[in-house]
Structures are given as C-alpha cells and as structure tokens.
Amino acid sequence: MFEDLRDLYQEVIFDHNRNPRNFRVMENANRRVDGFNPLCGDKLTLFLKIDDHVISDASFQGSGCAISTASVSLMTEIVKGKTEEEAETLFKQFHEMTTGKSEEVNLEAVGKLAVLAGVREYPARVKCATLAWHTLDAALKNQQEAVSTE
Amino acid sequence: MINYPIEQIRADFPILGETVRNKPLVYLDNAASCQKPQAVIDSIVHTYSHEYANIHRGVHTLSVKATDRFEAAREKVRGFINAGNAKEIIFVRGATEAINLIAQSYGKSQLCAGDEIVISAMEHHANIVPWQMLCQQIGSVLKVAPMNQKGELIFEEFENLLGEKTKLVAIAHMSNALGTINPVEKIIAAAHAKNIPVLLDGAQAIPHMPVDVQALDCDFYVFSGHKLYGPSGTGVLYGKQALLEAMPPYQGGGDMIRTVTFEKTTYAGLPHKFEAGTPAIAEIIGLGAAIDYVTAIGMDAIAAYEAELLAYATEHAEQIKGMNIVGQAAEKGGILSFTLDHIHPHDIGTMLDSVGVAVRAGHHCAMPVMDFYGVPATARASFAMYNTREEIDILMQGIKSLIEVFG
C-alpha cells in the first residue's frame, strides 16, 4: 500500500526506529544539548564525550518520529571516533543532502546516512531528519541553550 | 443512513475531485480548515469581477453595491446564529482575533488585578494565550477547569472555580483536539447565576451544529469563516449589545471613526466601532454565500449526518488493535484523534498522505491537552458534511497497513 514511500521509509530507518542505537543517558558526557521541534513535539537530548577534539562517545534520549529517531540513532553511530571538524563537515553535507541544495548526494561522504536522502522530496519532514544534526552542531559549538528547529 | 444529498454536496466542492500523489483526495483535516463549495468560490469571483469597491465611504455606485452586499452578509450571520440585532455582529479575521479583541477591549476595561478568568483544560492556544497576555498586562489570574480521562469537563470542579473574583468564563463550545462538545447550557446557567459573563469559542462547533446565541444566552460567541466552508481571513465576534457598547475600541482607524481632529476622536457606533481598516470585503460576502449554502442543507441534517460518520469511524477504530482513540467524551463532534502504538503521528500523517488521505498530525495548537494525555502529538481525522463512509474505510485500511509496515 505504501510503495511510493520506499524512498522515504527504507528498511534501515524502520530498523533504527525499532532499535535505536546509543539510546542512553551518558553520565560522563562533557557536552549535553536539548533539541526540540515545536511543530511536532519531537525532542531529544544529545550527549557527547569529546576528548582532545575527538568524539569518543555519543548517545541520546528522547522521543520522536521514525525519521528523527533513525536520524539521531545513525548520527550517534557515525560521529563516534570523528574529530569535531570532521563531524562539522558531515553536518554540512547532511544538511545539503536533506535540503536538496546539492544536486547529487555524495554517497561516499555521507555513507549510511544516504538512507535519509528521501526526505528532500517531503518538505514537511526535512526538520525531522535535521533536528539531530542541528543539535550536534550546537553541541560542537558548545552552545548551552536548547536547539529549536523553528 | 439518513436521507442526505451527499452526492450533490460532494459535487458542489470542486477540490474533492482532485488527486493527491495519484490517489483520489480523502480530505479529513476539516477541523483545521474546510474546503469551499462552488457557490462560495463563485461569490468571490463575482464580487471581484463585477461588484468590487471599498465599502461605506464611496458615493459611487460600485461602493454602494459592495456595501450592500457586505451588510447583507452581516444580516446572514445574524440570522444564522439568531442574534437579536445585526449591530451585535462584528467582522474580524477569525476566532483568534475575536478572542484577542475581547481580552484586550473587554478584559482591559472591565477586569482589575486579582480578577479571575476561567477557561478549561481542553482549550486550544487561541483561548489560552490572549488571557495569559491579559493577565500579564493587568495582573488578572487564569483558572483552568480540569477534565477527566475521557476528555469531558469535570463540571463540579468547574462550578467550584466560579467565585467572587471570577469576571469571565471563556470556553470552547467544541474541542478541536478531542471533539468534546461541552455542556454549554449548564456552563452558562452556572456562570450567570453568579453574574459572570460567558464567552463561547465556537470555532469548531459552528460548522457542525445549529447555534442560537439567544437561546444559549451566551454573552460572546466567536467563530472563523474558513471552518464554515467560507473564505479564510473572515471571522465573527458576536457580543450582547450592552457589553459591546461598554467596550472601548480595539484598533483605531478607518471605519471605526466618527470624527477626528488632532485633539479628539469620536468613535462610530456598533458594529463599526470594532471594524478598523478595510475588511476582507469579497471574502465576507463569500462567508454570506457559505451561510446560504449550509442553511439550504440544514444544520440539523449536517449534525445528524456527521454523528453517523463519527459513530461509524469510532466503531471501526475500536476494532483495530494498537489504535487508541484520544478523547472519548459522551457528547462528541466529528473528530477522531488517535495514536498508534509505537508509531509517531508524523509517520502516520506522511504514510496516510501517500494514499491520498489528509489528516492532521501534531499537537493541534492544544499542547496542554497533549501534556494531559502524556503524548507528544496525535493524529486527527476530522469530518465534514462532505465526507463519506467509503472515505473512512480508506482511512482505516491505511491505518491497518501502516501498523503492518511498522510491525
């Protein structure tokens, strides 16, 4: 019945929605930022442990739709071990991919995150996918206040 | 089913012939805004094509014609809600503006610090925030009457909130997030017994049931035109004449003026005192056409038909495992707000959209209601006079399939 949605809801997204990775409070985090999408009520708290400019651990808590949950779950997996600079570059690439600012999706750069490229065809859902990443961006910049997608 | 000209009604709404993502449109977001019949569309086109000019000032023929049509629309609204006098019908942009007008004009002039305004736990933001703003401005106090798990007002607790300091009750006739129809006759009787005026927010009720403001004896009644099959940017504030007379103007300029010098301004009488600036002329004339349209079908017939639709939808929803209806008041209008286990409402909204079904997913501008039920949002199917059982079947089929997909 939902054939047209296969680009948006790929199996990987269902998998991460059912079993989000790194879904836990991190006690020894040195970055902690809340992200909030007031339009739909999605909210998450992102925890990072950054040692010597390298993200040694990432985790999250919160509730949201399948797209936003998969996005933050995938993100916590992929940023682990990356430098702050690499993570910031990834944020920009992800943003370009989901908002359709670049014609081609750079598969090599975004890797597994390419499963979220489908949101570009669904403008109402772009914020779901990008909430996690705006929260990451704030955490990297060491902002304390909550991030909102509005 | 009752005898009801559903096919003719559907044919009157051109948008119902549209497709969405290659599927026939099933429009179930009526609580947010309703679609427009050809008669309303024609009315706007006719005004702009043949009879448009600014109103009330011109001595030329077109202005006189437009003024006549505009004032005829006021008379249609008066008749539709059975107000005693057309002076009591103020045109505004929508229910939200009407409530803000009452808060800023009536509230600021009649209430003092410490005075209390009573609302209910099921209000949408438009009947919460204007009162909070007023409270900040003058030091009045907002009291919230609680509801039970079914989404019904707990009447005894509401009544207990009415005291010496209560100066206004402002309550939804029907809840947008839950569908609850409040016992407004009882509410008004209880408030009036203590000389407290009552404002009914009729934004959701007005398209679905007959409303008689004199029989209700409410002091204010507000609604939006766009939910009554009329154009957006139109709305109505009904107020009892004596209350409106005592209220100062809300905005200055244009039609609300009688005389102006740089030293002093005198204000126009009702209803123009509250109608500053050029209104949505063609749109308000279009609202008159919408009232003609629903009146011809009959609000009683519409209410009976929609009650059957809701009963049908509820019966089917209750059979779907994992589907939870939010808002199960005994007195309820055509709104089916729901959650699905482990599936976020936004995913529900996108998935149903892909099969042509438009529902709302979110907090419906009623975040305290969501907090009450401990959910971030709900999906909401809301019915109008043109919806059918077949459309509800498509909705239910879509829900069953998406439960399988998310499994």
PDB file of all heavy atoms in Angstrom, chain A residues 62-86:
ATOM      1  N   GLY A  62      15.176  10.614  24.220  1.00  0.00           N
ATOM      2  CA  GLY A  62      14.124  11.473  23.686  1.00  0.00           C
ATOM      3  C   GLY A  62      13.064  10.674  22.959  1.00  0.00           C
ATOM      4  O   GLY A  62      13.049   9.444  23.002  1.00  0.00           O
ATOM      5  N   SER A  63      12.153  11.395  22.319  1.00  0.00           N
ATOM      6  CA  SER A  63      11.097  10.724  21.568  1.00  0.00           C
ATOM      7  C   SER A  63      10.801  11.507  20.298  1.00  0.00           C
ATOM      8  O   SER A  63      10.876  12.739  20.288  1.00  0.00           O
ATOM      9  CB  SER A  63       9.823  10.633  22.419  1.00  0.00           C
ATOM     10  OG  SER A  63       9.315  11.929  22.649  1.00  0.00           O
ATOM     11  N   GLY A  64      10.517  10.788  19.267  1.00  0.00           N
ATOM     12  CA  GLY A  64      10.214  11.449  18.004  1.00  0.00           C
ATOM     13  C   GLY A  64       9.695  10.450  16.993  1.00  0.00           C
ATOM     14  O   GLY A  64       9.487   9.271  17.317  1.00  0.00           O
ATOM     15  N   CYS A  65       9.508  10.906  15.782  1.00  0.00           N
ATOM     16  CA  CYS A  65       9.004  10.033  14.726  1.00  0.00           C
ATOM     17  C   CYS A  65      10.123   9.117  14.243  1.00  0.00           C
ATOM     18  O   CYS A  65      11.268   9.232  14.658  1.00  0.00           O
ATOM     19  CB  CYS A  65       8.475  10.879  13.578  1.00  0.00           C
ATOM     20  SG  CYS A  65       9.756  11.874  12.787  1.00  0.00           S
ATOM     21  N   ALA A  66       9.776   8.220  13.338  1.00  0.00           N
ATOM     22  CA  ALA A  66      10.749   7.251  12.831  1.00  0.00           C
ATOM     23  C   ALA A  66      11.909   7.945  12.138  1.00  0.00           C
ATOM     24  O   ALA A  66      13.065   7.547  12.292  1.00  0.00           O
ATOM     25  CB  ALA A  66      10.065   6.281  11.863  1.00  0.00           C
ATOM     26  N   ILE A  67      11.607   8.983  11.377  1.00  0.00           N
ATOM     27  CA  ILE A  67      12.659   9.687  10.634  1.00  0.00           C
ATOM     28  C   ILE A  67      13.632  10.349  11.613  1.00  0.00           C
ATOM     29  O   ILE A  67      14.845  10.239  11.473  1.00  0.00           O
ATOM     30  CB  ILE A  67      12.052  10.776   9.716  1.00  0.00           C
ATOM     31  CG1 ILE A  67      10.960  10.194   8.810  1.00  0.00           C
ATOM     32  CG2 ILE A  67      13.136  11.492   8.922  1.00  0.00           C
ATOM     33  CD1 ILE A  67      11.424   9.334   7.694  1.00  0.00           C
ATOM     34  N   SER A  68      13.102  11.033  12.620  1.00  0.00           N
ATOM     35  CA  SER A  68      14.003  11.748  13.531  1.00  0.00           C
ATOM     36  C   SER A  68      14.764  10.762  14.427  1.00  0.00           C
ATOM     37  O   SER A  68      15.932  10.958  14.720  1.00  0.00           O
ATOM     38  CB  SER A  68      13.249  12.795  14.352  1.00  0.00           C
ATOM     39  OG  SER A  68      12.573  12.228  15.438  1.00  0.00           O
ATOM     40  N   THR A  69      14.097   9.690  14.831  1.00  0.00           N
ATOM     41  CA  THR A  69      14.782   8.692  15.667  1.00  0.00           C
ATOM     42  C   THR A  69      15.903   8.011  14.886  1.00  0.00           C
ATOM     43  O   THR A  69      17.018   7.862  15.377  1.00  0.00           O
ATOM     44  CB  THR A  69      13.770   7.636  16.180  1.00  0.00           C
ATOM     45  OG1 THR A  69      12.724   8.313  16.868  1.00  0.00           O
ATOM     46  CG2 THR A  69      14.439   6.642  17.103  1.00  0.00           C
ATOM     47  N   ALA A  70      15.603   7.614  13.644  1.00  0.00           N
ATOM     48  CA  ALA A  70      16.629   6.959  12.819  1.00  0.00           C
ATOM     49  C   ALA A  70      17.781   7.916  12.557  1.00  0.00           C
ATOM     50  O   ALA A  70      18.952   7.526  12.569  1.00  0.00           O
ATOM     51  CB  ALA A  70      16.018   6.483  11.504  1.00  0.00           C
ATOM     52  N   SER A  71      17.438   9.175  12.338  1.00  0.00           N
ATOM     53  CA  SER A  71      18.479  10.147  12.028  1.00  0.00           C
ATOM     54  C   SER A  71      19.449  10.307  13.201  1.00  0.00           C
ATOM     55  O   SER A  71      20.667  10.273  13.017  1.00  0.00           O
ATOM     56  CB  SER A  71      17.836  11.496  11.677  1.00  0.00           C
ATOM     57  OG  SER A  71      18.814  12.451  11.362  1.00  0.00           O
ATOM     58  N   VAL A  72      18.908  10.445  14.406  1.00  0.00           N
ATOM     59  CA  VAL A  72      19.798  10.651  15.554  1.00  0.00           C
ATOM     60  C   VAL A  72      20.536   9.354  15.898  1.00  0.00           C
ATOM     61  O   VAL A  72      21.703   9.364  16.277  1.00  0.00           O
ATOM     62  CB  VAL A  72      19.035  11.254  16.764  1.00  0.00           C
ATOM     63  CG1 VAL A  72      17.988  10.330  17.312  1.00  0.00           C
ATOM     64  CG2 VAL A  72      20.004  11.663  17.864  1.00  0.00           C
ATOM     65  N   SER A  73      19.864   8.218  15.730  1.00  0.00           N
ATOM     66  CA  SER A  73      20.497   6.933  16.003  1.00  0.00           C
ATOM     67  C   SER A  73      21.692   6.716  15.064  1.00  0.00           C
ATOM     68  O   SER A  73      22.799   6.389  15.494  1.00  0.00           O
ATOM     69  CB  SER A  73      19.453   5.823  15.837  1.00  0.00           C
ATOM     70  OG  SER A  73      20.064   4.558  15.902  1.00  0.00           O
ATOM     71  N   LEU A  74      21.464   6.921  13.768  1.00  0.00           N
ATOM     72  CA  LEU A  74      22.551   6.787  12.789  1.00  0.00           C
ATOM     73  C   LEU A  74      23.671   7.783  13.078  1.00  0.00           C
ATOM     74  O   LEU A  74      24.857   7.465  12.955  1.00  0.00           O
ATOM     75  CB  LEU A  74      22.005   7.032  11.372  1.00  0.00           C
ATOM     76  CG  LEU A  74      21.265   5.859  10.715  1.00  0.00           C
ATOM     77  CD1 LEU A  74      20.378   6.369   9.583  1.00  0.00           C
ATOM     78  CD2 LEU A  74      22.251   4.817  10.194  1.00  0.00           C
ATOM     79  N   MET A  75      23.278   8.982  13.458  1.00  0.00           N
ATOM     80  CA  MET A  75      24.269  10.023  13.698  1.00  0.00           C
ATOM     81  C   MET A  75      25.213   9.643  14.839  1.00  0.00           C
ATOM     82  O   MET A  75      26.428   9.802  14.729  1.00  0.00           O
ATOM     83  CB  MET A  75      23.570  11.340  14.011  1.00  0.00           C
ATOM     84  CG  MET A  75      24.510  12.521  14.139  1.00  0.00           C
ATOM     85  SD  MET A  75      23.627  13.989  14.703  1.00  0.00           S
ATOM     86  CE  MET A  75      23.498  13.653  16.449  1.00  0.00           C
ATOM     87  N   THR A  76      24.626   9.141  15.933  1.00  0.00           N
ATOM     88  CA  THR A  76      25.486   8.791  17.072  1.00  0.00           C
ATOM     89  C   THR A  76      26.465   7.687  16.688  1.00  0.00           C
ATOM     90  O   THR A  76      27.592   7.649  17.183  1.00  0.00           O
ATOM     91  CB  THR A  76      24.658   8.333  18.295  1.00  0.00           C
ATOM     92  OG1 THR A  76      23.803   7.253  17.897  1.00  0.00           O
ATOM     93  CG2 THR A  76      23.822   9.456  18.865  1.00  0.00           C
ATOM     94  N   GLU A  77      26.034   6.793  15.794  1.00  0.00           N
ATOM     95  CA  GLU A  77      26.946   5.742  15.339  1.00  0.00           C
ATOM     96  C   GLU A  77      28.095   6.325  14.531  1.00  0.00           C
ATOM     97  O   GLU A  77      29.252   5.992  14.726  1.00  0.00           O
ATOM     98  CB  GLU A  77      26.193   4.753  14.437  1.00  0.00           C
ATOM     99  CG  GLU A  77      25.423   3.700  15.177  1.00  0.00           C
ATOM    100  CD  GLU A  77      25.023   2.561  14.245  1.00  0.00           C
ATOM    101  OE1 GLU A  77      24.616   2.847  13.097  1.00  0.00           O
ATOM    102  OE2 GLU A  77      25.126   1.399  14.663  1.00  0.00           O
ATOM    103  N   ILE A  78      27.716   7.223  13.609  1.00  0.00           N
ATOM    104  CA  ILE A  78      28.687   7.646  12.606  1.00  0.00           C
ATOM    105  C   ILE A  78      29.688   8.684  13.132  1.00  0.00           C
ATOM    106  O   ILE A  78      30.818   8.758  12.641  1.00  0.00           O
ATOM    107  CB  ILE A  78      27.935   8.150  11.337  1.00  0.00           C
ATOM    108  CG1 ILE A  78      28.804   7.963  10.094  1.00  0.00           C
ATOM    109  CG2 ILE A  78      27.476   9.578  11.470  1.00  0.00           C
ATOM    110  CD1 ILE A  78      28.010   8.065   8.804  1.00  0.00           C
ATOM    111  N   VAL A  79      29.288   9.467  14.145  1.00  0.00           N
ATOM    112  CA  VAL A  79      30.222  10.515  14.598  1.00  0.00           C
ATOM    113  C   VAL A  79      31.263  10.001  15.607  1.00  0.00           C
ATOM    114  O   VAL A  79      32.238  10.690  15.880  1.00  0.00           O
ATOM    115  CB  VAL A  79      29.499  11.756  15.207  1.00  0.00           C
ATOM    116  CG1 VAL A  79      28.625  12.428  14.168  1.00  0.00           C
ATOM    117  CG2 VAL A  79      28.732  11.384  16.461  1.00  0.00           C
ATOM    118  N   LYS A  80      31.000   8.811  16.147  1.00  0.00           N
ATOM    119  CA  LYS A  80      31.951   8.266  17.119  1.00  0.00           C
ATOM    120  C   LYS A  80      33.306   8.063  16.462  1.00  0.00           C
ATOM    121  O   LYS A  80      33.404   7.419  15.415  1.00  0.00           O
ATOM    122  CB  LYS A  80      31.442   6.940  17.673  1.00  0.00           C
ATOM    123  CG  LYS A  80      30.739   7.094  18.995  1.00  0.00           C
ATOM    124  CD  LYS A  80      30.524   5.747  19.664  1.00  0.00           C
ATOM    125  CE  LYS A  80      29.053   5.551  19.953  1.00  0.00           C
ATOM    126  NZ  LYS A  80      28.770   4.277  20.622  1.00  0.00           N
ATOM    127  N   GLY A  81      34.348   8.597  17.062  1.00  0.00           N
ATOM    128  CA  GLY A  81      35.697   8.450  16.516  1.00  0.00           C
ATOM    129  C   GLY A  81      36.081   9.573  15.571  1.00  0.00           C
ATOM    130  O   GLY A  81      37.229   9.689  15.157  1.00  0.00           O
ATOM    131  N   LYS A  82      35.082  10.412  15.193  1.00  0.00           N
ATOM    132  CA  LYS A  82      35.382  11.521  14.289  1.00  0.00           C
ATOM    133  C   LYS A  82      35.901  12.729  15.085  1.00  0.00           C
ATOM    134  O   LYS A  82      35.528  12.921  16.243  1.00  0.00           O
ATOM    135  CB  LYS A  82      34.135  11.928  13.505  1.00  0.00           C
ATOM    136  CG  LYS A  82      33.687  10.878  12.493  1.00  0.00           C
ATOM    137  CD  LYS A  82      33.176  11.535  11.225  1.00  0.00           C
ATOM    138  CE  LYS A  82      33.148  10.650  10.015  1.00  0.00           C
ATOM    139  NZ  LYS A  82      33.033   9.212  10.158  1.00  0.00           N
ATOM    140  N   THR A  83      36.722  13.537  14.425  1.00  0.00           N
ATOM    141  CA  THR A  83      37.146  14.777  15.072  1.00  0.00           C
ATOM    142  C   THR A  83      35.980  15.759  15.012  1.00  0.00           C
ATOM    143  O   THR A  83      35.044  15.594  14.215  1.00  0.00           O
ATOM    144  CB  THR A  83      38.353  15.411  14.357  1.00  0.00           C
ATOM    145  OG1 THR A  83      37.937  15.797  13.044  1.00  0.00           O
ATOM    146  CG2 THR A  83      39.516  14.440  14.274  1.00  0.00           C
ATOM    147  N   GLU A  84      36.049  16.795  15.807  1.00  0.00           N
ATOM    148  CA  GLU A  84      34.997  17.821  15.789  1.00  0.00           C
ATOM    149  C   GLU A  84      34.853  18.416  14.393  1.00  0.00           C
ATOM    150  O   GLU A  84      33.756  18.667  13.908  1.00  0.00           O
ATOM    151  CB  GLU A  84      35.343  18.938  16.793  1.00  0.00           C
ATOM    152  CG  GLU A  84      35.202  18.514  18.232  1.00  0.00           C
ATOM    153  CD  GLU A  84      35.684  19.595  19.180  1.00  0.00           C
ATOM    154  OE1 GLU A  84      36.902  19.850  19.213  1.00  0.00           O
ATOM    155  OE2 GLU A  84      34.840  20.176  19.877  1.00  0.00           O
ATOM    156  N   GLU A  85      35.992  18.634  13.750  1.00  0.00           N
ATOM    157  CA  GLU A  85      35.990  19.219  12.421  1.00  0.00           C
ATOM    158  C   GLU A  85      35.323  18.286  11.405  1.00  0.00           C
ATOM    159  O   GLU A  85      34.518  18.719  10.580  1.00  0.00           O
ATOM    160  CB  GLU A  85      37.434  19.517  12.006  1.00  0.00           C
ATOM    161  CG  GLU A  85      37.535  20.634  11.002  1.00  0.00           C
ATOM    162  CD  GLU A  85      38.988  20.894  10.602  1.00  0.00           C
ATOM    163  OE1 GLU A  85      39.912  20.424  11.303  1.00  0.00           O
ATOM    164  OE2 GLU A  85      39.170  21.551   9.578  1.00  0.00           O
ATOM    165  N   GLU A  86      35.630  17.019  11.509  1.00  0.00           N
ATOM    166  CA  GLU A  86      35.011  16.035  10.597  1.00  0.00           C
ATOM    167  C   GLU A  86      33.500  15.969  10.817  1.00  0.00           C
ATOM    168  O   GLU A  86      32.722  15.877   9.862  1.00  0.00           O
ATOM    169  CB  GLU A  86      35.632  14.646  10.830  1.00  0.00           C
ATOM    170  CG  GLU A  86      37.034  14.496  10.270  1.00  0.00           C
ATOM    171  CD  GLU A  86      37.743  13.230  10.764  1.00  0.00           C
ATOM    172  OE1 GLU A  86      37.344  12.667  11.820  1.00  0.00           O
ATOM    173  OE2 GLU A  86      38.706  12.826  10.111  1.00  0.00           O
TER     174      GLU A  86
END
